[in-house]
Amino acid sequence: MTKKKKRWLEEKSIEWVLIMVSVISILTTVGIVMTLFYESYEFFTVVSIKEFFTTLRWAPVFDPPSFGVLPLLSGTFLIAFLSSFISLPLGLGSAIYLSEFASKKARKIIKPILELLAGIPSIVYGFFALTFITPIIRSVLPDTSIYNALSASIAVGIMTLPMVASLSEDAMMAVPDSIRQGAYALGSTKLEVAIHVIVPAAFSGIGASFMLAISRAVGETMIVAIAAGQTPTFTLNPLESVQTMTGFMVNMALGDIQQGSIEFKTVFVVGALLFLVTLVMNFIAKFVIQKNREVY
Amino acid sequence: MKKKISYHTRLKRRLLLNQIFKFIFMSTIIVSIMVLAILVIDVLQKGLGSLDLDFILNMPSSRPERAGILPALLGTLWVIGLTALISIPVGIGTAIYLQVYADKKSWFFKALNINIANLAGVPSIVYGILGLTVFVQLLKIGPTVLAGALTLSLLILPVIIVSSIEAIKAVPSSITEGSLALGVSRWRTITGVVLPMATPGIMTGSILALSRAMGEAAPMIMVGAVGFVTFLPDSIMDRYTLLPMLIYNWTSRPQDAFAQIAAAGIIVMLILLLLTNLTAIIIRNKTQNRVD
Amino acid sequence: MQTKIRVENLNFYYGNFQALKNISMEIYENKITALIGPSGCGKSTFIKSINRMYDLIDGAVAKGSISFDEIEILDKNTDVVELRKRIGMVFQKPNPFPKSITENVLYGVKRHGDVPKIEWLALLESSLKKASLFSEVEHKLNQSAFSLSGGQQQRLCIARTLATKPEVLLMDEPTSALDPIATAKIEELLEELKKEYTVIIVTHSMQQAARISDYTGFFLNGELIEFGLTKTLFSTPKDKRTEDYITGRFG
């Protein structure tokens, strides 16, 4: 074999190895979709879609069982919604301060601290919610259950705050400096530049960061498994114990459920729902909101 | 009727408003920093009392005063080590393919990119379901260190791919072209020129991704990591527990004494995370200086 | 002839680098003063110090005195918000806000609140007319400013500045990003504007300075080499370096 041919063979085989390796990430998606939807399909041969989406009681391991997913959905969205009252304003405020008010030096100190906050595992926030936030809530509102949606929401809000801050700041920093200077040259205060020029110009990026943070809150597991409780309740009362989609999945995985049973399949059908909800939210954030941004 | 105010009164108001909001925005950051401080202090207060050498070297126990974390600590090292061995080569390989080999107009390239962006947003517990079905059950690996590491590898793969692509992009194309112009093959150029220059960036991204994996509990519950074992893993086909699993187990018990050892476990985990993050930051700073 | 701005012993530093050395000059009311010189000579830095835009740059320090009517511009207590309302600025590259044409022009007045709401429409029209843009955009005032051509965007930025009723206009190479036709339009415009405003224009083109200005200052390496009537400076320069520059021997 000639040297040239040998080298060509080497190049080609390496390219094929790299393609095979790259396919792993596509197989991951295919695997997720097939796993979730195969088992969900089997689930819906036993339970009707109508029962699943309209019944207000979720009790798959009770006798007789009930498969109404609404309590799990309401628990999930209650926590995601409440957490946004912390993550969105605090995250956006931090981003505005960092991008428009802070000196370079202050930014250099503050950003790593926010990164630290983002790097703390959710199990730690769960512990913090149960042993620190919940006692405080209960000392103010003694009727609150030990496991409640509010405490989990606060912790989820704190956890997703750095994400809002950093993505919003990126969006604001991406607004060209020339536009900022134009606003200052007309006699604007920093606040006016931020509110009337930069935030509107970065609106798509900021909106995407909000959407991604809420989607993250929907998929958050350990905080809610620890602090929100295991009672699927169809309620909007944040002081009650609720169960989220993720909380239910953890609870089932820890229990002793017969593989292949209908109870076991509920984990997959709830997982499929969770996957779809977060996928749609991420899709909206990345491809709908950000596609509409101004091009400078 | 609205009172008419003069330009100068208004100007004073605008300047005052500016100051007020500057303070408000600054407070949002101060609140975040204070939360971090309170969290750390709270954990230290609850956990420092239980943290000693015995705690590190003992087995878990149903009696909190004798309980330790050794199997969880070793389990974490086993799983994260194996995860690194699996995910880093796959991540770098995908990044090289995307950045150097792939035809950027092909559907495969576009599909891969969209796919990676979407995978990064999938909740970690969903990876747990995948791991349970494919690795534990379908491939019959069982609830072992290997199944756990494979699952975590898929979870952090998007992060490693994206940071590796950034690191490879940062290598000046003039250097790559210079090597290719000398008649060096594409693959030799990558291994000889591109990868050595991109290694610090790839390492930083990979270490940060691994440190995220180290704190994951949700997917590991799905793939059968247990909260309580009293033996040490010594092969990849062993059952195992992990620090976050043990912390979860202890946190969900009602007795106060368990909350305290849970806090002690959290301290150990946070120290591990701090060390890995510091390593990443040091690597990042060192290379930044070199480029400057 | 009234002095509008008096600069005395202005020294300017970016950290350790001295960008302006001991500049003293006078800017006369209702005249166009052009600043010329090779790139990096400090002419842009000079006009950035007149409306304190350098406040936005970390490590930039100005020493000396710039007086503007009764105000000392370099004084720390001088309010830059009001200063910049009175001294408007047009930049090298058009930088409209990502908003509608109307919103761009009315941006300043909405912040400053010095014109009652019922007069906004009239102000919008008069500002666009002064910038000779009105006829081109009157049918699409609510469209995004980004839909305009480069030359139109630059005139929109001029209109936006005029709408805040400044006394002085600073122009930092306002035509360098534009084609010859758009440049000619803006030069024509300047002739009109000087009736109402005092104009300082930085330009990369000596021909432009000779065409449009009453006074010219020549900057080199952070120093003001020569300053005087444009006619005199271009016909009988006193300094050898000025002569070399305007005859094209360097720069």
Side-chain angles (χ1 to χ4, degrees), chain C residues 11-235:
Chain C
N11 285 288
F12 196 100
Y13 306 87
Y14 293 113
N16 292 325
F17 173 71
Q18 183 165 11
L20 291 176
K21 296 168 191 160
N22 230 11
I23 310 288
S24 296
M25 71 188 286
E26 296 192 355
I27 307 290
Y28 303 111
E29 194 162 11
N30 293 1
K31 299 286 179 215
I32 298 180
T33 304
L35 307 177
I36 58 169
S39 52
C41 67
K43 53 192 197 296
S44 280
T45 302
F46 178 77
I47 71 163
K48 278 196 191 100
S49 58
I50 295 175
N51 66 347
R52 291 264 302 269
M53 282 303 278
Y54 69 82
D55 281 14
L56 302 176
I57 303 167
D58 276 337
V61 181
K63 286 178 180 157
S65 158
I66 304 178
S67 55
F68 165 53
D69 289 352
E70 74 292 348
I71 299 174
E72 170 53 53
I73 290 177
L74 298 185
D75 186 345
K76 264 204 158 153
N77 297 321
T78 300
D79 177 41
V80 295
V81 171
E82 186 174 16
L83 177 73
R84 289 175 190 153
K85 178 187 181 310
R86 293 179 61 191
I87 304 183
M89 186 168 199
V90 177
F91 295 80
Q92 199 166 352
K93 277 197 191 128
N95 56 352
F97 302 133
K99 296 170 184 283
S100 72
I101 293 169
T102 308
E103 286 293 320
N104 264 279
V105 177
L106 295 181
Y107 174 85
V109 72
K110 282 189 179 174
R111 305 287 86 78
H112 299 296
D114 53 342
V115 176
K117 238 181 187 167
I118 41 166
E119 289 169 30
W120 283 3
L121 216 61
L123 178 75
L124 171 67
E125 190 177 329
S126 70
S127 307
L128 285 170
K129 274 184 176 155
K130 277 187 199 166
S132 55
L133 187 62
F134 186 70
S135 58
E136 290 161 60
V137 299
E138 63 178 320
H139 57 283
K140 52 174 184 181
L141 289 171
N142 290 321
Q143 282 183 25
S144 164
F146 287 174
S147 67
L148 301 176
S149 72
Q152 288 174 325
Q153 286 188 13
Q154 191 64 304
R155 277 178 284 143
L156 177 66
C157 291
I158 294 175
R160 176 176 84 180
T161 306
L162 298 181
T164 66
K165 302 191 174 162
E167 297 156 46
V168 178
L169 274 181
L170 305 174
M171 308 191 116
D172 189 0
E173 305 198 17
T175 60
S176 69
L178 305 181
D179 63 61
I181 296 167
T183 302
K185 272 218 149 123
I186 286 184
E187 287 185 7
E188 250 171 65
L189 183 61
L190 284 171
E191 203 53 42
E192 281 300 306
L193 290 176
K194 79 171 189 187
K195 291 174 191 156
E196 270 182 79
Y197 309 92
T198 305
V199 179
I200 306 175
I201 178 168
V202 167
T203 171
H204 57 290
S205 139
M206 279 176 285
Q207 291 77 8
Q208 186 172 56
R211 274 197 303 270
I212 59 172
S213 69
D214 305 298
Y215 289 85
T216 299
F218 170 56
F219 280 76
L220 186 63
N221 298 328
E223 286 176 70
L224 178 63
I225 303 297
E226 193 167 341
F227 176 66
L229 276 167
T230 300
K231 270 184 213 149
T232 328
L233 189 130
F234 277 99
S235 56

